Amino acid sequence: MDSKIKWGILSSAAIAVEHVIPAIMNSKYGDVHAIASRSYDKAKSAAAKFNIPKCYGSYEDLLLDEEIEA
């Protein structure tokens, strides 16, 4: 495998922030590349906390991002 899978996270809830994002970040095969929340401010805050390059205020916008692979 040449590069990491670019993940998009569809939540800024505790399960995502406390478990899912850290697990992907600790994986040698995954990279959290974007996060979305119904609240742009919550997505932006989570993105800043984990140094995630992209954040969205709607799930649909993340799903339309062609760079996201999973």
Side-chain angles (χ1 to χ4, degrees), residues 24-44:
I24 294 170
M25 293 179 86
N26 286 323
S27 166
K28 60 182 174 179
Y29 301 112
D31 179 44
V32 180
H33 196 70
I35 186 165
S37 178
R38 290 179 290 168
S39 161
Y40 177 76
D41 290 336
K42 287 182 180 180
K44 186 176 177 181

Side-chain angles (χ1 to χ4, degrees), residues 35-41 43 55-62:
I35 186 165
S37 178
R38 290 179 290 168
S39 161
Y40 177 76
D41 290 336
C55 60
Y56 297 101
S58 78
Y59 302 134
E60 293 82 9
D61 288 344
L62 185 148

